[in-house]
Amino acid sequence: MPRPATGSVMAQDRSLAALGLDVVPALQPLAYPGRPVRGPSLLTGDELLPLDVRPLPLGRWHVAGQPLDEALGERGVALVGRRLPVIAVGSNASPAQVAYKLMRRGISAAVPMVPVRVRGIAVGCSAHIGQAGYVAAAPYLDPVAETSLVVSWLDQDQFRAVDATEFPNYRRALIPGDDFALALPSGEKLDGAHLYVSSYGVLVDPDTGLPRPGGGDQAALLASLLWGSPALRRLLGPGPADWVQKAAGDRTLRELGTRAFADAGWALPQPGFP
C-alpha cells in the first residue's frame, strides 16, 4: 500500500471533485476540453497528487513523501522508465477525461501528468466532429510558437487504450526532442514524445486565413461555426447545445458536418509532422 500522506498540503482532499477537475468532456461536450492539470501531478484515478519537482529524472521526483517510481511500484504499475510520454493538446490534458478513458476499460488510471514547454507546436481545432459531438483540439506546426502542453506518461495498456480513443480521426506522430525542445519543469529535456495529429487537418478562420485557436470555449466555437455556415446550421443548428445533442447521437450527421468543413474550404492539412 502507498505510504500515508504527510504534511499539510498532502492532508488536503486531493479528489478530482474537491479540486474542481471532475468534469468529463466526453460526458459533457460543451465543457470540452475540460480543465487541465496546472502543475506536475500523479493521477491515481479519482485523485490528483502534486509532484515535487527536483533536478533529477522524473521517476525520482517525490509524491506524498516518496520517489515517484517507488509510489508507482507500490501500486503495482509500471515505473516511469517503462512508460511512453504522450503530449496532449485537448482533453487528454484533463485528468478527469484521462481517468474516464482508462477506468471504463478496466485499466489502471495511475498516470504522471506534467506540463512541458514545447517549441514549434500550436493548438488549433481539428476539422472534424468527434463522437461526443464536440470539435476537438488538434496541433499544428508553428515555428515561432512556444506552448505549455501536458505530457502524460502511459504504460503499454494505457497507451493502447488512448490510441483506441483517437484512431482513426487522429494519427500518432513521434516528435523528436531536439526539434521541438521538450523541456520539463526540472530543466530536463525529453528525447521525444508521441502526439496525436488530426487526420482531417485543422480549421482555418476564413477572416484571417490562419488556423482557429483551439482549446477554448467550445460553445463559442460552435456558435461561430454555425454563424459562418448555412450548411452547418441546417444540419446541426440552431445553437451549440443542439449541435452536440444531434451530433453525439448520429454518426451520419457527424460525417456530413465534417464534410461541410471541407466543402467550405476550412480544412487545412497538416502534412509536416514526423
Side-chain angles (χ1 to χ4, degrees):
M1 295 292 293
R3 293 177 182 173
T6 59
S8 59
V9 173
M10 295 308 302
Q12 297 174 2
D13 186 349
R14 301 297 303 183
S15 68
L16 296 182
L19 296 172
L21 298 172
D22 57 331
V23 173
V24 179
L27 303 177
Q28 299 184 44
L30 290 181
Y32 183 90
R35 293 187 60 192
V37 298
R38 294 299 184 188
S41 306
L42 173 64
L43 173 66
T44 63
D46 59 356
E47 289 188 317
L48 193 69
L49 307 179
L51 285 173
D52 179 15
V53 177
R54 302 192 173 200
L56 298 166
L58 175 61
R60 295 168 66 186
W61 297 6
H62 276 216
V63 57
Q66 65 182 144
L68 175 57
D69 270 343
E70 187 175 318
L72 294 171
E74 289 184 354
R75 288 173 167 82
V77 297
L79 307 188
V80 170
R82 299 185 64 184
R83 291 170 176 262
L84 300 166
V86 180
I87 301 171
V89 298
S91 65
N92 286 341
S94 160
Q97 184 89 324
V98 173
Y100 174 77
K101 287 185 175 185
L102 298 176
M103 295 174 71
R104 69 194 296 258
R105 291 169 170 81
I107 295 171
S108 164
V111 180
M113 303 179 71
V114 180
V116 170
R117 298 299 298 178
V118 183
R119 187 179 63 209
I121 294 175
V123 180
C125 304
S126 180
H128 86 285
I129 300 172
Q131 185 175 353
Y134 49 65
V135 175
Y140 65 92
L141 295 172
D142 180 346
V144 301
E146 187 170 333
T147 312
S148 179
L149 298 172
V150 173
V151 174
S152 294
W153 274 259
L154 304 179
D155 67 25
Q156 291 291 341
D157 288 340
Q158 294 167 342
F159 192 66
R160 284 190 290 267
V162 172
D163 262 2
T165 68
E166 304 298 331
F167 295 151
N169 294 319
Y170 291 83
R171 60 183 176 85
R172 180 164 27 83
L174 182 59
I175 302 302
D178 288 344
D179 294 343
F180 293 89
L182 308 174
L184 276 70
S186 62
E188 181 183 3
K189 298 293 181 66
L190 291 178
D191 292 335
H194 296 272
L195 176 71
Y196 293 102
V197 180
S198 176
S199 302
Y200 299 88
V202 295
L203 288 175
V204 171
D205 185 332
D207 293 333
T208 65
L210 300 173
R212 285 180 177 268
D217 186 317
Q218 180 71 191
L221 171 63
L222 299 186
S224 177
L225 295 172
L226 287 166
W227 180 85
S229 170
L232 290 173
R233 288 198 298 275
R234 288 193 299 271
L235 288 170
L236 299 169
D242 305 285
W243 174 310
V244 295
Q245 181 179 14
K246 293 176 181 178
D250 193 324
R251 178 178 177 177
T252 299
L253 279 180
R254 295 195 297 272
E255 292 174 348
L256 290 173
T258 297
R259 187 180 306 166
F261 293 157
D263 290 345
W266 292 352
L268 178 66
Q270 287 292 300
F273 282 94

